[in-house]
């Protein structure tokens, strides 16, 4: 078999492969930057994500209200969700927007802040069924509000 | 005991199929497309069974693991390119898995993340240093079986079984076909991720399988990877049943555990977290060993856990260095879930460099004697080679076009 020859013939393609991986790594690095102008599409995506965080928070609050979760899990996961919502609040408040959607973008920023604060309550009171019960409806309302902004 | 003899396949599959990135990726696929991508998992599972059986057979008959074949069949320079790409992906994945272990411990204890990273690193080092290969695969492989809780959760969430059945029929959706293709490529890449076969074939040598163990090799490949695929299916179904109707986009490991908590309560949550801990810990060991196996085999060093730590000093030093590098990287605060998703896509690019040499060696009668590939193995092997090349070519463009699945 002449398999080493096969290996020689693939040297050029391996160099291309390395170049492709390197350019993809560059894209990877650039993708980490959460900047840029918020256009309609970005507003829709961010609203969907804020709505997702609120809905997931409601799901967790519902389980806490039934005593169906654990203290440590709720404390940690609610903090993760709260932190993600706070990131949206910050970035949407600062980023430039396309004409005509500035008001919706700022609304979404405020909504993300509200979601973040509600999830923070869950983080601070991970076993308090009353707190969890009181958070369910507001989080559902937040998800609905985000859904409207996404449309 | 017979049940212990399939531990290698189970650990390789659980570590490969349901590591931190796959857990999130599978549930995300379900949350985005419901059950429409189930067929891709089936294709991926059959592919990894075909190639694992092949490389296990090569290791069993010739005593040579994957990177022995890569070096011999691709020549030094192309082999070196394969080694470098494999090691980069291994290190990315190892970093993510160490982070995953720490996240899981944090969800169980609420202790500080960085402290838990250190603890995870120390425990992994002690376990690997002091424990035999057999017991590593048993503890992490069978511990990972707690993930079966997701299969129970899938049933308890009452999915539409007719929609689930429809998901096994290959099709392309009219909405978001590019995003769909991104998930399909990611799922195939994850199912056939190269470190599974590096670990599996080297494990066959570790266990000193001989030709009499060829049946065991088949059983390991089919049962182990079949189980891994079953868990992937369950994860996609819980994503489709729980998250899709509510519009939830899971991005955290905690979100995955939530899919077991909602239908099963605390016990579901705890089983899910313990299962994830063992699966992710197993994946960390898979990748750490794979990195050491690859380098040692490529450079012709003594290797293997069946030797003492001092009996294969460069192999031992390699996995220790990889562990320290992974710890250092995850300490920088890099997001383990995102990292491993990128690792899956990048490993897709390197797939042909791993699988072509296996197919070549499995057809070489001077190595394999009467155990060369039969017609079925070659037909499937060639079919999957085409699939792998398509995946390798499509992976990076789809990553860019979909902004890593975010668009």
């Amino acid at each position: 078999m002449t398999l080493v020859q096969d290996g020689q013939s693939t040297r050029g393609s391996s160099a291309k492969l390395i170049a492709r991986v390197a350019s993809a790594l560059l894209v990877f690095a650039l993708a980490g930057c959460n900047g840029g102008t918020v256009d309609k599409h970005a507003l829709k995506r961010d609203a969907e994500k804020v709505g997702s965080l609120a809905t997931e928070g409601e799901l967790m609050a519902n389980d806490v209200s039934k005593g169906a979760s654990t203290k440590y899990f709720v404390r940690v996961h609610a903090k993760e969700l709260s932190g993600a919502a706070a990131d949206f609040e910050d970035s949407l408040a600062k980023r430039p927007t396309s004409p005509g959607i500035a008001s919706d973008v700022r609304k979404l920023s405020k909504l993300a802040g509200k979601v973040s604060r509600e999830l923070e309550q869950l983080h601070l009171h991970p076993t308090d069924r009353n707190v969890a019960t009181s958070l369910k409806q507001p989080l559902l309302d937040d998800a609905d509000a985000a859904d409207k902004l996404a449309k | 005991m017979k049940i212990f003899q399939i531990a290698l396949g189970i650990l390789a599959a659980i570590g490969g199929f349901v590591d931190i990135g796959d857990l999130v990726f599978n549930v995300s696929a379900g949350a985005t497309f419901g059950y429409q991508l189930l067929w891709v998992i089936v294709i991926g599972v059959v592919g990894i069974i075909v190639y694992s059986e092949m490389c296990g057979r090569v290791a069993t008959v010739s005593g040579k693991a994957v990177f022995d074949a890569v070096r011999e069949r691709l020549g030094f320079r192309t082999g070196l390119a394969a080694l470098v790409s494999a090691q980069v992906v291994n290190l990315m994945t190892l970093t993510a898995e160490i982070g995953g272990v720490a996240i899981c411990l944090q969800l169980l204890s609420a202790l500080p993340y960085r402290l838990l990273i250190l603890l995870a690193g120390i425990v992994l080092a002690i376990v690997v240093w002091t424990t035999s290969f057999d017991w590593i695969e048993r503890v992490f492989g069978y511990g990972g079986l707690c993930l079966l809780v997701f299969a129970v959760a899938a049933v308890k969430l009452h999915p539409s079984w007719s929609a689930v059945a429809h998901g096994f029929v290959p099709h392309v959706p009219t909405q978001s076909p590019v995003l769909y293709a991104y998930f399909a490529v990611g799922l195939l890449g994850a199912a056939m991720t190269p470190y599974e076969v590096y670990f599996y074939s080297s494990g066959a040598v570790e266990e000193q399988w001989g030709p009499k163990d060829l049946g065991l090799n088949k059983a390991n490949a089919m049962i182990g990877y079949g189980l891994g695929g079953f868990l992937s299916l369950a994860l996609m179904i819980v994503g489709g049943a729980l998250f899709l109707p509510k519009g939830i986009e899971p991005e955290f490991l905690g979100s995955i555990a939530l899919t077991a908590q909602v239908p099963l309560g605390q016990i579901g949550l705890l089983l899910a977290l313990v299962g994830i801990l063992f699966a992710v810990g197993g994946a960390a060991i898979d990748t750490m060993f794979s990195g050491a196996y690859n380098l040692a085999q490529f450079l012709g060093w003594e290797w293997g856990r069946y030797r003492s730590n001092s009996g294969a000093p460069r192999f031992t030093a390699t996995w220790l260095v990889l562990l320290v590098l992974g710890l250092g990287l995850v300490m920088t605060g890099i997001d383990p879930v995102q990292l491993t998703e990128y690792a899956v896509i990048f490993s897709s690019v390197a797939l042909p460099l791993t699988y072509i040499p296996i197919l070549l060696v499995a057809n070489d009668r001077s190595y394999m004697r009467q155990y060369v590939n039969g017609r079925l193995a070659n037909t499937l092997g060639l079919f999957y080679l085409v699939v792998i090349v398509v995946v390798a070519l499509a992976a990076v463009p789809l990553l860019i076009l979909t902004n890593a699945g975010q668009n």
Side-chain angles (χ1 to χ4, degrees), chain B residues 296-314:
Chain B
Q297 287 159 16
F298 188 80
L299 296 174
W301 297 344
E302 297 284 324
W303 62 270
R305 282 294 299 151
Y306 67 93
R307 304 173 202 274
S308 64
N309 290 317
S310 56
R314 287 176 290 193

Side-chain angles (χ1 to χ4, degrees), chain B residues 35-64:
Chain B
Y35 317 119
Q36 295 185 63
L37 285 154
L38 289 171
W39 64 275
V40 179
I41 295 178
V42 176
I43 290 195
V45 172
V46 176
I48 192 67
I49 288 174
V50 166
Y51 271 97
S52 289
E53 188 282 328
M54 217 182 283
C55 72
R57 181 158 34 91
V58 170
T60 299
V61 173
S62 70
K64 289 182 186 292

Side-chain angles (χ1 to χ4, degrees), chain B residues 40-404:
Chain B
V40 179
I41 295 178
V42 176
I43 290 195
V45 172
V46 176
I48 192 67
I49 288 174
V50 166
Y51 271 97
S52 289
E53 188 282 328
M54 217 182 283
C55 72
R57 181 158 34 91
V58 170
T60 299
V61 173
S62 70
K64 289 182 186 292
V66 170
F67 256 86
D68 288 321
V70 167
R71 172 70 191 270
E72 284 184 25
R73 299 289 146 159
L74 294 183
F76 182 79
R77 288 184 61 181
T78 310
L80 186 63
L83 179 71
V84 170
S85 63
Q87 297 300 72
V88 169
V89 173
N90 266 337
L91 184 59
M92 285 169 79
T93 315
L94 171 61
T95 302
E97 307 305 343
I98 295 169
V101 171
I103 293 172
C104 211
L105 289 172
Q106 195 184 31
L107 290 167
L108 285 163
S109 70
L111 289 170
Y113 178 57
R114 282 197 162 74
L115 174 73
L116 291 169
I117 292 172
L118 264 184
L119 181 69
I122 292 167
V123 169
L124 281 172
I126 291 172
V127 167
V128 175
W129 186 273
T130 59
T131 312
S132 70
F133 188 85
D134 284 352
W135 278 102
I136 288 172
E137 63 186 24
R138 285 171 194 170
V139 169
F140 285 90
Y142 293 118
L145 291 183
C146 291
L147 290 175
L148 286 168
V149 72
F150 287 107
V152 180
V155 174
K156 292 279 281 183
L157 285 167
H158 305 296
S160 157
W161 290 110
S162 62
V164 170
H166 183 67
F168 287 100
V169 181
H171 62 282
V172 179
T174 48
Q175 275 195 323
S176 313
V178 177
L179 188 61
Y180 184 84
Y182 170 77
F183 273 108
V185 162
L187 289 167
L188 278 171
M192 301 196 70
T193 194
Y195 74 79
E196 288 173 292
V197 288
Y198 305 147
F199 181 79
Y200 184 81
S201 68
S202 303
V205 178
E206 291 270 18
E207 297 209 341
Q208 297 173 333
W209 286 352
K212 68 176 172 40
D213 297 310
L214 284 171
L216 191 58
N217 171 47
K218 264 196 187 126
N220 265 275
M222 292 173 81
I223 297 173
Y225 290 105
L227 185 66
F230 176 72
L231 291 172
S232 293
L233 295 174
L235 286 162
M236 194 179 285
I237 291 171
V238 294
L242 182 65
F243 286 163
L244 178 64
K246 292 177 183 293
I248 294 175
E249 301 175 23
E251 290 182 3
F252 302 99
L253 209 50
S255 310
I256 311 310
L258 201 60
T259 61
Q261 177 186 281
V262 170
L264 300 167
Q266 275 190 2
I267 187 73
L269 172 68
L270 291 172
L271 281 170
L273 289 175
V274 170
I276 292 171
L277 182 63
F278 278 103
V280 174
I285 292 175
D286 277 15
T287 47
M288 191 162 62
F289 274 175
S290 293
Y293 287 140
N294 294 350
L295 190 66
Q297 287 159 16
F298 188 80
L299 296 174
W301 297 344
E302 297 284 324
W303 62 270
R305 282 294 299 151
Y306 67 93
R307 304 173 202 274
S308 64
N309 290 317
S310 56
R314 287 176 290 193
F315 170 78
T316 306
T318 306
W319 69 252
L320 275 169
V321 167
L322 286 171
L323 180 59
V324 171
L325 283 174
L327 273 175
L329 285 171
V330 77
M331 277 286 188
T332 62
I334 202 163
D335 178 355
V337 173
Q338 272 194 350
L339 182 64
T340 186
E341 285 183 11
Y342 284 107
V344 165
I345 295 297
F346 290 134
S347 73
S348 304
V349 177
L351 286 174
L353 291 175
T354 298
Y355 289 103
I356 288 171
I358 295 172
L359 190 60
L360 291 173
V361 174
N363 275 290
D364 186 340
R365 201 166 282 279
S366 65
Y367 269 91
M368 299 298 292
R369 305 187 302 276
Q370 71 267 41
Y371 304 109
V372 287
N373 273 359
R375 189 173 294 172
L376 179 65
N378 274 335
T379 306
L380 288 171
L382 284 170
F383 168 74
Y384 276 101
L385 211 51
V386 173
V387 172
I388 284 164
V389 170
V390 170
V391 165
L393 293 174
V396 173
L398 285 171
L399 179 83
I400 295 165
L401 283 173
T402 64
N403 188 20

